[in-house]
Amino acid sequence: MDKGRRRALKVLGGTLGAGAFAAALAPLRAWSKSLSVEQFLQKHYKELSPSELAATMRRHEREAKAKYGRDVHIEDVRPMEGVQFGYALNLSVCIGCRKCAEACHHENNHDRKTNNSYIRVLEMEQGTFDLEKGDATYDHPVPAPGKYYLPVQCQQCDNPPCVKVCPVQATWKERDGIVVVDYDWCIGCRYCEAACPYHARRFNWEAPEIPADELNTEQAYLSNRVRPQGVMEKCTFCLHRTRKGLLPACLEACPTGARVFGNLADPESEIRRVLANKRVFVLKEDLGTKPRFFYFFDT
Amino acid sequence: MVLSPAAVTPVTAALLASMLGAGALACGRDQPEPLRPAPGDAESPVTVHQPPSLTSVETKEIDGLGRPVRVACVTCHSTRDAGGALPTSANELREFHVGLTVRHGTLACASCHAARAGGEPMLHLATGEELRTSETMRLCAQCHGPKLREYEAGRHGGMTGHWDLSQGPRTRNHCVDCHDPHVPAFQPSVPVLRPRDRFLAPPSAAHAGDSHG
């Protein structure tokens, strides 16, 4: 596999034409001024040796210390042996309060100005199932009559269109099913954002702004460390928590108990019992993306 | 909340099967870096959160940390001679607990509360067995068996802590954390964190002058 970033850029330029190429690279240009040689020559996550990776993480920690004045701890949290993550959500009880989105916002060091979150809760007309018609910006007491609520985040597809379109392999699927992004490798072309049928990927138009005292200092290289400007980001099922056995932040925050998380490879797990006993479905099944995020109803 | 079943596509068995076999397809790191160990056999405890409302009531006093001072039920009830009679409606409470509302099916106070002549206020099951208020979940379980089974299967009521009990403990929410025993219907709320993403604003609000644009 050739992960040469600069070569891929050339290919991109060739197929898109010069104008589109410039536009696609705008974010890259915008921060290349401040990019050190060290950063530019950095290797892809998967090619970094353990010591190179450690050095990179220490560099990010120093940069965070300089920027926020706080001791940030960045770790490379690896997948667990024998674990395949899955998530399920009970639509009968979800009330659309967006507490999950809020927990994600804080846990994953999201930009405060935009209220960014990996979770978008769609207010839907009862009896309909068209994601594109859902309203994510509703602002009235919930649940509203005649509506139901559909929280959507990365579905961690087993056949992920976003991974396939990445021209530089800056996004891939890990052994436990989580689709991750190497923020130091992403060139910000946003192909993955366009390819995702669930609108689950976000682009950092600007560097996220987070007050220093609100920073979550427990970070992982592939998840909640503060993203630079011009790169894609997405839900990682809180891998910095879940790979250590903890529940994702959005689940803990849910005041209705609508969320079920666990190991699909363990037949005794709560998530497997949901799949076995409930009428579950996935979003846009016809696209063949094979999501690991399931929805179900009480009855 | 009701949704027309026709609107949803059930997941096919084939999809589930392919998903479970997917681990092999997933690409890991190229170099032989060790994975974190698989979940072990050790089981950390699962405890049920005990809301303070089960054993004490809030007063209007505020303590040094700015929290309301709570008074244990027994403080008053151990000295009170209730004469063994239970009220038949919340209106009968005049000395204390004034303004209590009860809207739980058509249950009478005596369906849950045991008549006592003073002492700790007790609940009771249909069998007559008395329960302390700290054992309230057994009371709920008596009439809501199906929900309790959902709860036990981990898909009602939520939790915090570890999904992998071999790495640490878990706390389950108590029924009463979410359902007031007297008015158990889940209460509506006001949503938080409205997205301010410039692409999400509905057409009418697109130019409404968000701080960010």
Side-chain angles (χ1 to χ4, degrees), chain A residues 12 20 31 80 105 107 115 154 156 193 263 266:
Chain A
L12 245 181
W31 49 257
M80 289 170 68
H105 181 71
E107 179 70 32
N115 276 355
C154 175
Q156 317 290 359
E193 184 184 6
N263 182 6
D266 172 6

Side-chain angles (χ1 to χ4, degrees), chain B residues 25-90:
Chain B
L25 296 173
C27 76
R29 193 175 190 157
D30 291 351
Q31 51 185 280
E33 264 284 284
L35 298 181
R36 293 175 76 86
D41 293 330
E43 291 241 328
S44 300
V46 177
T47 46
V48 178
H49 176 242
Q50 285 288 310
S53 65
L54 289 175
T55 47
S56 65
V57 296
E58 200 176 296
T59 67
K60 293 197 177 69
E61 306 287 311
I62 301 290
D63 72 10
L65 293 171
R67 295 170 310 199
V69 174
R70 304 196 69 100
V71 182
C73 315
V74 283
T75 316
C76 306
H77 281 269
S78 56
T79 56
R80 218 176 73 80
D81 177 13
L86 269 181
T88 49
S89 95

